[in-house]
Amino acid sequence: MWNEPPEGDSTKSNKEATFQIVQTPEDAPKKCIIQELDSLAAWNRKLSSLVTTSREKPSLSTLICGPKSAGKSTFSRLFLNRLLTDRSHRQTLRGVVVMDLDPGQPEYAPAGTLSLVFVTKPNLGTPFTHPGIRDTASNVVRCHSMASVTPASDPDLYLACAVDLFDTYNKSFAGVPLIINTPGWILGTGLDLLCALVRMMKPEEVLYMSEDGPSETVDALRAATETTFTELPSQQSEFTSRTAAHLRAMQTMSYFHLQDLALTTTKQTDITQRLKWNPSPLSFRPPLLVQYSSKKGIFGLVSYDYQCPPELLADTVNGLVLAAVEIEDVKAFSRFTQDQVSADTPSKLTKLDAASKDEVLQIVSTSPEGIPFIPNYNDAALDPRYSRTIGLVLLRGIDTKSQTLQLTTPIPAEEFKHIKSEGRDIVLLHGKFDTPSWAYTEDLYERAGADEGNDTILEVTDEDTDDDRSEAEPEDVDRVSDLTEVPWVEVLKGSQRRPVGSRVWRVRRDLGRNNA
């Protein structure tokens, strides 16, 4: 935990530790919400049973499902760590495969993706401590992006991605334990998806993390399960300090601040392979410039769920998070049919199942700025059998003069070059990723905290603009204006151009003091 100075003491000795070890919740600062990890007795019995079964059958597959905030992720981590640290077969167990099918709260890959991860070391941290796709302790073998944080955006694509990940597991990791994590959507279409996953993957164990139903969900899952179905008590948190959106923002922020692993030395040891982060704001870093006209670095943009008019494409995608997808075969475009493209496309191009690359190029249109994109008016999707997500990018700007896209991403430039050298293409996928509002204001916080000895910092607060105080001029407004001279952020004074309930920049003094 962060070690704050004693009350009334704003100075801190350089020799004083900046953190302290928290042994119990009582040791934490007063305003922190900390709950002790407690594995229920029923959980411990089931964990022991599963570990014993895995000794006899190393390829044990376990699907964990249940309602939201029931303890699915906690139980999965405990089970994973028990398998990796089991002494009886530690010499033969290479690792554990985790199939993460929860795009809203993934454990290892970025939010909005489904992934197959080969884990070789115990998981002792929260998701934002290991967001990298190239972490040696948790190698993401294959990843697909739904460009959304919920399977509801495209249930068919969700199942297709899950099928491809399961096929990859069967081909590459036979005999390795498999843990399948699922989202907390257990009613309606969500229940249909869970039952379809159970029938398709046929796991040896299906664990439902609740003893309180609903009965129709339990009955349907029990009927779909051919082997062992177990109900376990849920472990709901007494306090919730962060919402799912907050946790996704923290994980996405951690992902984009990863230091490029390609910059490490050639003689890499276990220490140099660990993930490292760059604390500088993203706006401080030079972007990766990708041409979109001649000598194109990308094949084009594809939008899921919504296709904007070509003249609005640049404004729509600028400043958003996109998924970088490698096209392993042109068959990835097989779902893009003739009626999805412009009328001047040759009528002979009805399906791309056996299309050559030249024929695929015929479905590509361009925006007025010359940005290539593939029209998707019927909401088709790339075939996950012939494509894979290599990571996320933040499109921070579009230079129409040089016809380049300015990308911020932890993906090494060498990986883009390698894909192009192999004759494959890269598509940028636009959808319903969370808006990276945190990235727009990092520069403000960096400048606000740059002056040593000045306790005035900026904070985004939710305030009702009908409040009488909202009409008053904030203190040190000139200082705020100086700090916010960035083109993508505007400081509003009082109720200027703000509806009721909107967010407003406020200047607060001594923020964070007296919390110890």
Side-chain angles (χ1 to χ4, degrees):
M1 292 297 300
W2 184 259
N3 191 18
E4 298 176 341
E7 184 175 350
D9 183 11
S10 60
T11 62
K12 183 182 293 186
S13 172
N14 293 332
K15 297 182 179 180
E16 185 178 352
T18 58
F19 65 93
Q20 62 181 356
I21 303 299
V22 177
Q23 303 290 350
T24 65
E26 288 73 19
D27 297 337
K30 297 179 181 179
K31 294 187 178 181
C32 290
I33 300 177
I34 295 180
Q35 183 176 358
E36 189 174 359
L37 176 62
D38 183 21
S39 181
L40 304 178
W43 285 21
N44 292 332
R45 289 192 295 269
K46 189 60 181 179
L47 287 171
S48 299
S49 174
L50 291 172
V51 172
T52 302
T53 304
S54 69
R55 296 170 185 169
E56 302 173 356
K57 187 174 184 180
S59 61
L60 174 67
S61 58
T62 306
L63 186 143
I64 302 173
C65 57
K68 296 180 180 179
S69 303
K72 297 187 298 296
S73 298
T74 302
F75 186 89
S76 298
R77 294 189 191 106
L78 293 174
F79 183 30
L80 170 70
N81 294 343
R82 289 285 295 269
L83 288 175
L84 291 174
T85 57
D86 183 29
R87 296 182 179 180
S88 62
H89 62 172
R90 184 173 55 182
Q91 301 298 328
T92 59
L93 184 63
R94 297 184 295 121
V96 177
V97 175
V98 175
M99 185 184 299
D100 201 335
L101 301 181
D102 186 358
Q105 291 180 287
E107 181 65 38
Y108 294 101
T113 62
L114 310 179
S115 59
L116 189 72
V117 189
F118 183 62
V119 185
T120 57
K121 295 183 179 180
N123 180 3
L124 303 178
T126 56
F128 64 81
T129 63
H130 43 249
I133 290 185
R134 291 157 197 85
D135 188 3
T136 54
S138 53
N139 179 37
V140 178
V141 180
R142 192 166 179 83
C143 182
H144 296 301
S145 176
M146 295 195 60
S148 174
V149 297
T150 171
S153 60
D154 193 339
D156 293 334
L157 175 61
Y158 179 81
L159 284 179
C161 293
V163 169
D164 180 73
L165 295 178
F166 188 63
D167 290 342
T168 303
Y169 164 76
N170 288 329
K171 294 176 183 177
S172 305
F173 296 97
V176 179
L178 173 65
I179 300 176
I180 306 167
N181 183 42
T182 59
W185 190 19
I186 59 171
L187 296 174
T189 305
L191 177 58
D192 295 338
L193 292 176
L194 286 177
C195 292
L197 292 175
V198 171
R199 286 190 292 265
M200 175 190 66
M201 299 180 183
K202 296 180 174 58
E204 281 85 2
E205 295 275 353
V206 175
L207 307 181
Y208 186 75
M209 304 301 297
S210 177
E211 294 179 333
D212 301 323
S215 57
E216 59 269 24
T217 299
V218 175
D219 294 341
L221 289 172
R222 193 185 300 274
T225 304
E226 298 181 359
T227 52
T228 305
F229 180 86
T230 306
E231 295 179 70
L232 292 175
S234 60
Q235 187 190 52
Q236 296 185 353
S237 176
E238 183 179 356
F239 303 102
T240 303
S241 58
R242 297 289 186 272
T243 65
H246 289 151
L247 297 175
R248 285 197 302 270
M250 295 166 68
Q251 189 171 1
T252 306
M253 184 187 305
S254 176
Y255 173 79
F256 278 103
H257 277 273
L258 279 174
Q259 185 170 306
D260 192 346
L261 295 180
L263 299 178
T264 56
T265 59
T266 54
K267 296 182 179 180
Q268 293 177 337
T269 63
D270 183 61
I271 296 179
T272 58
Q273 283 281 7
R274 292 178 182 175
L275 295 180
K276 298 180 180 180
W277 286 264
N278 187 337
S280 302
L282 298 183
S283 59
F284 284 24
R285 306 187 202 173
L288 177 66
L289 302 180
V290 179
Q291 287 189 329
Y292 61 78
S293 56
S294 59
K295 298 181 180 179
K296 294 193 302 182
I298 62 168
F299 185 77
L301 273 73
V302 176
S303 295
Y304 282 0
D305 192 65
Y306 170 72
Q307 179 64 62
C308 65
E311 60 272 15
L312 299 179
L313 178 63
D315 292 334
T316 300
V317 300
N318 195 10
L320 295 183
V321 172
L322 310 174
V325 180
E326 176 188 354
I327 304 301
E328 299 171 312
D329 193 290
V330 294
K331 294 179 181 178
F333 297 102
S334 61
R335 301 177 184 180
F336 291 79
T337 56
Q338 163 65 19
D339 56 357
Q340 294 172 258
V341 297
S342 56
D344 57 352
T345 305
S347 58
K348 65 177 182 179
L349 187 62
T350 57
K351 277 279 187 179
L352 299 176
D353 293 320
S356 66
K357 188 171 182 179
D358 292 337
E359 290 175 320
V360 174
L361 289 174
Q362 298 179 34
I363 69 172
V364 179
S365 299
T366 56
S367 68
E369 297 83 5
I371 302 175
F373 72 97
I374 300 174
N376 190 16
Y377 297 106
N378 285 352
D379 196 21
L382 297 171
D383 194 327
R385 295 174 296 177
Y386 308 107
S387 61
R388 69 181 184 98
T389 297
I390 62 174
L392 301 184
V393 302
L394 176 60
L395 180 56
R396 55 173 288 179
I398 301 175
D399 190 339
T400 56
K401 292 183 179 180
S402 61
Q403 294 188 318
T404 57
L405 303 178
Q406 300 176 357
L407 305 180
T408 297
T409 178
I411 305 173
E414 289 76 10
E415 183 161 358
F416 288 100
K417 295 178 181 178
H418 174 72
I419 293 174
K420 297 295 292 185
S421 66
E422 295 291 329
R424 298 188 293 270
D425 288 303
I426 296 174
V427 167
L428 296 183
L429 185 59
H430 162 247
K432 288 187 174 181
F433 289 106
D434 291 333
T435 302
S437 56
W438 53 267
Y440 309 147
T441 55
E442 283 185 333
D443 185 75
L444 297 177
Y445 289 105
E446 176 74 14
R447 298 188 187 188
D451 297 334
E452 295 183 3
N454 194 324
D455 294 327
T456 303
I457 69 171
L458 295 175
E459 182 197 21
V460 178
T461 59
D462 289 318
E463 298 183 3
D464 194 334
T465 56
D466 279 345
D467 189 0
D468 293 338
R469 294 184 58 191
S470 66
E471 299 294 338
E473 194 73 11
E475 297 181 16
D476 295 343
V477 67
D478 294 334
R479 171 173 166 76
V480 178
S481 300
D482 293 339
L483 287 173
T484 56
E485 291 179 354
V486 290
W488 56 86
V489 175
E490 179 182 7
V491 176
L492 301 180
K493 303 175 183 179
S495 59
Q496 176 188 5
R497 295 172 58 184
R498 291 189 290 107
V500 174
S502 63
R503 291 190 170 189
V504 54
W505 283 101
R506 293 298 189 205
V507 179
R508 295 185 57 184
R509 294 184 179 276
D510 304 330
L511 186 67
R513 286 190 181 181
N514 304 326
N515 290 338

mmCIF file of all heavy atoms in Angstrom, residues 188-223:
data_model
loop_
_atom_site.group_PDB
_atom_site.id
_atom_site.type_symbol
_atom_site.label_atom_id
_atom_site.label_comp_id
_atom_site.label_asym_id
_atom_site.label_seq_id
_atom_site.Cartn_x
_atom_site.Cartn_y
_atom_site.Cartn_z
ATOM 1 N N GLY A 188 -31.200 -15.458 -20.628
ATOM 2 C CA GLY A 188 -31.516 -15.173 -22.021
ATOM 3 C C GLY A 188 -30.452 -15.684 -22.971
ATOM 4 O O GLY A 188 -30.038 -16.852 -22.923
ATOM 5 N N THR A 189 -29.995 -14.797 -23.847
ATOM 6 C CA THR A 189 -28.967 -15.169 -24.817
ATOM 7 C C THR A 189 -27.677 -15.586 -24.136
ATOM 8 O O THR A 189 -26.957 -16.467 -24.620
ATOM 9 C CB THR A 189 -28.702 -13.993 -25.775
ATOM 10 O OG1 THR A 189 -29.934 -13.579 -26.380
ATOM 11 C CG2 THR A 189 -27.726 -14.391 -26.866
ATOM 12 N N GLY A 190 -27.368 -14.960 -22.995
ATOM 13 C CA GLY A 190 -26.168 -15.347 -22.257
ATOM 14 C C GLY A 190 -26.208 -16.796 -21.819
ATOM 15 O O GLY A 190 -25.196 -17.516 -21.884
ATOM 16 N N LEU A 191 -27.368 -17.263 -21.372
ATOM 17 C CA LEU A 191 -27.518 -18.668 -20.987
ATOM 18 C C LEU A 191 -27.383 -19.575 -22.201
ATOM 19 O O LEU A 191 -26.769 -20.650 -22.117
ATOM 20 C CB LEU A 191 -28.869 -18.869 -20.307
ATOM 21 C CG LEU A 191 -29.226 -20.298 -19.907
ATOM 22 C CD1 LEU A 191 -28.188 -20.879 -18.957
ATOM 23 C CD2 LEU A 191 -30.617 -20.348 -19.278
ATOM 24 N N ASP A 192 -27.945 -19.164 -23.328
ATOM 25 C CA ASP A 192 -27.807 -19.961 -24.552
ATOM 26 C C ASP A 192 -26.336 -20.107 -24.946
ATOM 27 O O ASP A 192 -25.902 -21.187 -25.379
ATOM 28 C CB ASP A 192 -28.591 -19.312 -25.694
ATOM 29 C CG ASP A 192 -30.095 -19.304 -25.437
ATOM 30 O OD1 ASP A 192 -30.552 -20.140 -24.634
ATOM 31 O OD2 ASP A 192 -30.799 -18.462 -26.036
ATOM 32 N N LEU A 193 -25.563 -19.032 -24.797
ATOM 33 C CA LEU A 193 -24.141 -19.093 -25.134
ATOM 34 C C LEU A 193 -23.399 -20.039 -24.188
ATOM 35 O O LEU A 193 -22.554 -20.829 -24.626
ATOM 36 C CB LEU A 193 -23.523 -17.693 -25.068
ATOM 37 C CG LEU A 193 -23.978 -16.689 -26.135
ATOM 38 C CD1 LEU A 193 -23.353 -15.324 -25.874
ATOM 39 C CD2 LEU A 193 -23.601 -17.178 -27.527
ATOM 40 N N LEU A 194 -23.708 -19.970 -22.893
ATOM 41 C CA LEU A 194 -23.049 -20.861 -21.937
ATOM 42 C C LEU A 194 -23.357 -22.321 -22.238
ATOM 43 O O LEU A 194 -22.463 -23.180 -22.217
ATOM 44 C CB LEU A 194 -23.487 -20.511 -20.513
ATOM 45 C CG LEU A 194 -22.915 -19.235 -19.897
ATOM 46 C CD1 LEU A 194 -23.517 -18.999 -18.514
ATOM 47 C CD2 LEU A 194 -21.403 -19.316 -19.798
ATOM 48 N N CYS A 195 -24.619 -22.619 -22.519
ATOM 49 C CA CYS A 195 -24.995 -24.003 -22.834
ATOM 50 C C CYS A 195 -24.308 -24.474 -24.115
ATOM 51 O O CYS A 195 -23.870 -25.633 -24.208
ATOM 52 C CB CYS A 195 -26.510 -24.115 -22.965
ATOM 53 S SG CYS A 195 -27.413 -23.869 -21.410
ATOM 54 N N ALA A 196 -24.204 -23.578 -25.099
ATOM 55 C CA ALA A 196 -23.523 -23.945 -26.344
ATOM 56 C C ALA A 196 -22.045 -24.232 -26.091
ATOM 57 O O ALA A 196 -21.475 -25.178 -26.662
ATOM 58 C CB ALA A 196 -23.685 -22.827 -27.372
ATOM 59 N N LEU A 197 -21.409 -23.445 -25.232
ATOM 60 C CA LEU A 197 -20.001 -23.683 -24.905
ATOM 61 C C LEU A 197 -19.822 -25.024 -24.198
ATOM 62 O O LEU A 197 -18.876 -25.771 -24.486
ATOM 63 C CB LEU A 197 -19.471 -22.547 -24.024
ATOM 64 C CG LEU A 197 -19.328 -21.165 -24.669
ATOM 65 C CD1 LEU A 197 -18.915 -20.133 -23.623
ATOM 66 C CD2 LEU A 197 -18.315 -21.197 -25.802
ATOM 67 N N VAL A 198 -20.716 -25.334 -23.264
ATOM 68 C CA VAL A 198 -20.612 -26.594 -22.526
ATOM 69 C C VAL A 198 -20.788 -27.783 -23.468
ATOM 70 O O VAL A 198 -20.032 -28.771 -23.408
ATOM 71 C CB VAL A 198 -21.651 -26.631 -21.389
ATOM 72 C CG1 VAL A 198 -21.697 -28.016 -20.751
ATOM 73 C CG2 VAL A 198 -21.328 -25.574 -20.340
ATOM 74 N N ARG A 199 -21.771 -27.707 -24.357
ATOM 75 C CA ARG A 199 -22.003 -28.820 -25.286
ATOM 76 C C ARG A 199 -20.856 -28.974 -26.277
ATOM 77 O O ARG A 199 -20.517 -30.092 -26.676
ATOM 78 C CB ARG A 199 -23.326 -28.608 -26.026
ATOM 79 C CG ARG A 199 -24.563 -28.854 -25.175
ATOM 80 C CD ARG A 199 -25.811 -28.876 -26.030
ATOM 81 N NE ARG A 199 -26.104 -27.552 -26.574
ATOM 82 C CZ ARG A 199 -26.932 -26.682 -26.014
ATOM 83 N NH1 ARG A 199 -27.550 -26.990 -24.885
ATOM 84 N NH2 ARG A 199 -27.152 -25.506 -26.572
ATOM 85 N N MET A 200 -20.251 -27.866 -26.681
ATOM 86 C CA MET A 200 -19.182 -27.922 -27.673
ATOM 87 C C MET A 200 -17.868 -28.419 -27.065
ATOM 88 O O MET A 200 -17.190 -29.280 -27.636
ATOM 89 C CB MET A 200 -18.974 -26.542 -28.286
ATOM 90 C CG MET A 200 -17.805 -26.449 -29.253
ATOM 91 S SD MET A 200 -17.431 -24.752 -29.708
ATOM 92 C CE MET A 200 -16.861 -24.079 -28.146
ATOM 93 N N MET A 201 -17.495 -27.887 -25.899
ATOM 94 C CA MET A 201 -16.191 -28.208 -25.311
ATOM 95 C C MET A 201 -16.216 -29.455 -24.436
ATOM 96 O O MET A 201 -15.173 -30.042 -24.176
ATOM 97 C CB MET A 201 -15.692 -27.009 -24.492
ATOM 98 C CG MET A 201 -15.511 -25.752 -25.315
ATOM 99 S SD MET A 201 -14.909 -24.365 -24.314
ATOM 100 C CE MET A 201 -14.896 -23.053 -25.551
ATOM 101 N N LYS A 202 -17.397 -29.832 -23.956
ATOM 102 C CA LYS A 202 -17.548 -31.027 -23.120
ATOM 103 C C LYS A 202 -16.509 -31.076 -21.995
ATOM 104 O O LYS A 202 -15.725 -32.036 -21.886
ATOM 105 C CB LYS A 202 -17.460 -32.292 -23.971
ATOM 106 C CG LYS A 202 -18.583 -32.435 -24.994
ATOM 107 C CD LYS A 202 -18.435 -33.706 -25.803
ATOM 108 C CE LYS A 202 -19.624 -33.931 -26.708
ATOM 109 N NZ LYS A 202 -19.862 -32.818 -27.652
ATOM 110 N N PRO A 203 -16.457 -30.068 -21.136
ATOM 111 C CA PRO A 203 -15.477 -30.083 -20.039
ATOM 112 C C PRO A 203 -15.794 -31.171 -19.025
ATOM 113 O O PRO A 203 -16.955 -31.544 -18.824
ATOM 114 C CB PRO A 203 -15.622 -28.687 -19.426
ATOM 115 C CG PRO A 203 -17.022 -28.276 -19.759
ATOM 116 C CD PRO A 203 -17.329 -28.879 -21.095
ATOM 117 N N GLU A 204 -14.731 -31.691 -18.376
ATOM 118 C CA GLU A 204 -14.940 -32.721 -17.355
ATOM 119 C C GLU A 204 -15.641 -32.166 -16.118
ATOM 120 O O GLU A 204 -16.345 -32.889 -15.415
ATOM 121 C CB GLU A 204 -13.601 -33.343 -16.931
ATOM 122 C CG GLU A 204 -13.051 -34.378 -17.887
ATOM 123 C CD GLU A 204 -12.263 -33.746 -19.016
ATOM 124 O OE1 GLU A 204 -12.136 -32.500 -19.012
ATOM 125 O OE2 GLU A 204 -11.782 -34.472 -19.894
ATOM 126 N N GLU A 205 -15.432 -30.874 -15.845
ATOM 127 C CA GLU A 205 -16.041 -30.242 -14.676
ATOM 128 C C GLU A 205 -16.688 -28.924 -15.098
ATOM 129 O O GLU A 205 -16.073 -28.114 -15.789
ATOM 130 C CB GLU A 205 -14.992 -29.958 -13.594
ATOM 131 C CG GLU A 205 -14.349 -31.196 -12.991
ATOM 132 C CD GLU A 205 -15.173 -31.769 -11.847
ATOM 133 O OE1 GLU A 205 -16.167 -31.124 -11.437
ATOM 134 O OE2 GLU A 205 -14.814 -32.853 -11.356
ATOM 135 N N VAL A 206 -17.928 -28.722 -14.683
ATOM 136 C CA VAL A 206 -18.613 -27.442 -14.858
ATOM 137 C C VAL A 206 -18.959 -26.928 -13.468
ATOM 138 O O VAL A 206 -19.696 -27.577 -12.722
ATOM 139 C CB VAL A 206 -19.886 -27.575 -15.717
ATOM 140 C CG1 VAL A 206 -20.624 -26.242 -15.779
ATOM 141 C CG2 VAL A 206 -19.540 -28.058 -17.117
ATOM 142 N N LEU A 207 -18.409 -25.777 -13.117
ATOM 143 C CA LEU A 207 -18.624 -25.198 -11.795
ATOM 144 C C LEU A 207 -19.503 -23.967 -11.921
ATOM 145 O O LEU A 207 -19.184 -23.045 -12.686
ATOM 146 C CB LEU A 207 -17.283 -24.820 -11.156
ATOM 147 C CG LEU A 207 -16.215 -25.919 -11.088
ATOM 148 C CD1 LEU A 207 -14.965 -25.391 -10.410
ATOM 149 C CD2 LEU A 207 -16.745 -27.147 -10.362
ATOM 150 N N TYR A 208 -20.598 -23.957 -11.168
ATOM 151 C CA TYR A 208 -21.502 -22.807 -11.151
ATOM 152 C C TYR A 208 -21.337 -22.109 -9.809
ATOM 153 O O TYR A 208 -21.637 -22.684 -8.753
ATOM 154 C CB TYR A 208 -22.948 -23.255 -11.351
ATOM 155 C CG TYR A 208 -23.929 -22.106 -11.487
ATOM 156 C CD1 TYR A 208 -23.990 -21.366 -12.662
ATOM 157 C CD2 TYR A 208 -24.773 -21.759 -10.438
ATOM 158 C CE1 TYR A 208 -24.872 -20.309 -12.791
ATOM 159 C CE2 TYR A 208 -25.660 -20.704 -10.561
ATOM 160 C CZ TYR A 208 -25.702 -19.980 -11.741
ATOM 161 O OH TYR A 208 -26.576 -18.930 -11.866
ATOM 162 N N MET A 209 -20.865 -20.862 -9.844
ATOM 163 C CA MET A 209 -20.458 -20.167 -8.627
ATOM 164 C C MET A 209 -21.628 -19.468 -7.936
ATOM 165 O O MET A 209 -21.593 -18.270 -7.664
ATOM 166 C CB MET A 209 -19.356 -19.160 -8.960
ATOM 167 C CG MET A 209 -18.144 -19.749 -9.646
ATOM 168 S SD MET A 209 -17.338 -21.032 -8.669
ATOM 169 C CE MET A 209 -16.818 -20.100 -7.255
ATOM 170 N N SER A 210 -22.650 -20.222 -7.625
ATOM 171 C CA SER A 210 -23.770 -19.699 -6.850
ATOM 172 C C SER A 210 -24.666 -20.859 -6.439
ATOM 173 O O SER A 210 -24.854 -21.809 -7.208
ATOM 174 C CB SER A 210 -24.571 -18.669 -7.654
ATOM 175 O OG SER A 210 -25.696 -18.226 -6.925
ATOM 176 N N GLU A 211 -25.206 -20.761 -5.251
ATOM 177 C CA GLU A 211 -26.177 -21.749 -4.778
ATOM 178 C C GLU A 211 -27.579 -21.163 -4.720
ATOM 179 O O GLU A 211 -28.497 -21.780 -4.185
ATOM 180 C CB GLU A 211 -25.765 -22.252 -3.385
ATOM 181 C CG GLU A 211 -24.467 -23.042 -3.385
ATOM 182 C CD GLU A 211 -24.077 -23.503 -1.997
ATOM 183 O OE1 GLU A 211 -24.477 -22.818 -1.023
ATOM 184 O OE2 GLU A 211 -23.396 -24.537 -1.877
ATOM 185 N N ASP A 212 -27.732 -19.968 -5.289
ATOM 186 C CA ASP A 212 -29.013 -19.265 -5.229
ATOM 187 C C ASP A 212 -29.691 -19.156 -6.587
ATOM 188 O O ASP A 212 -30.522 -18.272 -6.801
ATOM 189 C CB ASP A 212 -28.803 -17.858 -4.651
ATOM 190 C CG ASP A 212 -28.207 -17.897 -3.259
ATOM 191 O OD1 ASP A 212 -28.566 -18.810 -2.493
ATOM 192 O OD2 ASP A 212 -27.377 -17.026 -2.943
ATOM 193 N N GLY A 213 -29.330 -20.032 -7.516
ATOM 194 C CA GLY A 213 -29.995 -20.026 -8.815
ATOM 195 C C GLY A 213 -29.506 -18.927 -9.728
ATOM 196 O O GLY A 213 -28.352 -18.511 -9.627
ATOM 197 N N PRO A 214 -30.374 -18.454 -10.629
ATOM 198 C CA PRO A 214 -31.785 -18.827 -10.816
ATOM 199 C C PRO A 214 -31.948 -20.266 -11.305
ATOM 200 O O PRO A 214 -31.068 -20.806 -11.971
ATOM 201 C CB PRO A 214 -32.291 -17.819 -11.849
ATOM 202 C CG PRO A 214 -31.078 -17.322 -12.541
ATOM 203 C CD PRO A 214 -29.958 -17.387 -11.571
ATOM 204 N N SER A 215 -33.076 -20.853 -10.959
ATOM 205 C CA SER A 215 -33.288 -22.277 -11.200
ATOM 206 C C SER A 215 -33.257 -22.620 -12.681
ATOM 207 O O SER A 215 -32.738 -23.676 -13.066
ATOM 208 C CB SER A 215 -34.620 -22.718 -10.585
ATOM 209 O OG SER A 215 -35.696 -21.956 -11.111
ATOM 210 N N GLU A 216 -33.808 -21.742 -13.548
ATOM 211 C CA GLU A 216 -33.809 -22.064 -14.977
ATOM 212 C C GLU A 216 -32.393 -22.109 -15.537
ATOM 213 O O GLU A 216 -32.085 -22.907 -16.427
ATOM 214 C CB GLU A 216 -34.653 -21.056 -15.763
ATOM 215 C CG GLU A 216 -34.205 -19.606 -15.661
ATOM 216 C CD GLU A 216 -34.873 -18.864 -14.527
ATOM 217 O OE1 GLU A 216 -35.321 -19.523 -13.566
ATOM 218 O OE2 GLU A 216 -34.954 -17.622 -14.604
ATOM 219 N N THR A 217 -31.506 -21.274 -14.989
ATOM 220 C CA THR A 217 -30.113 -21.287 -15.436
ATOM 221 C C THR A 217 -29.422 -22.565 -14.997
ATOM 222 O O THR A 217 -28.738 -23.232 -15.787
ATOM 223 C CB THR A 217 -29.368 -20.063 -14.880
ATOM 224 O OG1 THR A 217 -29.984 -18.867 -15.361
ATOM 225 C CG2 THR A 217 -27.910 -20.083 -15.296
ATOM 226 N N VAL A 218 -29.606 -22.931 -13.737
ATOM 227 C CA VAL A 218 -28.970 -24.142 -13.212
ATOM 228 C C VAL A 218 -29.484 -25.377 -13.938
ATOM 229 O O VAL A 218 -28.705 -26.271 -14.318
ATOM 230 C CB VAL A 218 -29.211 -24.251 -11.695
ATOM 231 C CG1 VAL A 218 -28.649 -25.563 -11.156
ATOM 232 C CG2 VAL A 218 -28.580 -23.067 -10.973
ATOM 233 N N ASP A 219 -30.788 -25.456 -14.159
ATOM 234 C CA ASP A 219 -31.362 -26.624 -14.834
ATOM 235 C C ASP A 219 -30.843 -26.743 -16.268
ATOM 236 O O ASP A 219 -30.529 -27.850 -16.736
ATOM 237 C CB ASP A 219 -32.888 -26.528 -14.838
ATOM 238 C CG ASP A 219 -33.481 -26.631 -13.439
ATOM 239 O OD1 ASP A 219 -32.765 -27.119 -12.540
ATOM 240 O OD2 ASP A 219 -34.638 -26.206 -13.252
ATOM 241 N N ALA A 220 -30.752 -25.620 -16.975
ATOM 242 C CA ALA A 220 -30.280 -25.659 -18.360
ATOM 243 C C ALA A 220 -28.813 -26.072 -18.432
ATOM 244 O O ALA A 220 -28.424 -26.883 -19.287
ATOM 245 C CB ALA A 220 -30.483 -24.298 -19.018
ATOM 246 N N LEU A 221 -27.980 -25.535 -17.548
ATOM 247 C CA LEU A 221 -26.564 -25.898 -17.554
ATOM 248 C C LEU A 221 -26.364 -27.352 -17.127
ATOM 249 O O LEU A 221 -25.516 -28.062 -17.677
ATOM 250 C CB LEU A 221 -25.783 -24.967 -16.626
ATOM 251 C CG LEU A 221 -25.609 -23.525 -17.105
ATOM 252 C CD1 LEU A 221 -24.984 -22.658 -16.017
ATOM 253 C CD2 LEU A 221 -24.737 -23.485 -18.359
ATOM 254 N N ARG A 222 -27.143 -27.795 -16.169
ATOM 255 C CA ARG A 222 -27.028 -29.188 -15.733
ATOM 256 C C ARG A 222 -27.420 -30.141 -16.866
ATOM 257 O O ARG A 222 -26.791 -31.194 -17.054
ATOM 258 C CB ARG A 222 -27.911 -29.428 -14.508
ATOM 259 C CG ARG A 222 -27.625 -30.748 -13.785
ATOM 260 C CD ARG A 222 -28.625 -30.960 -12.659
ATOM 261 N NE ARG A 222 -28.576 -29.893 -11.680
ATOM 262 C CZ ARG A 222 -27.733 -29.867 -10.651
ATOM 263 N NH1 ARG A 222 -26.865 -30.856 -10.498
ATOM 264 N NH2 ARG A 222 -27.771 -28.868 -9.792
ATOM 265 N N ALA A 223 -28.445 -29.763 -17.636
ATOM 266 C CA ALA A 223 -28.873 -30.610 -18.752
ATOM 267 C C ALA A 223 -27.835 -30.628 -19.870
ATOM 268 O O ALA A 223 -27.672 -31.649 -20.553
ATOM 269 C CB ALA A 223 -30.218 -30.117 -19.289
#
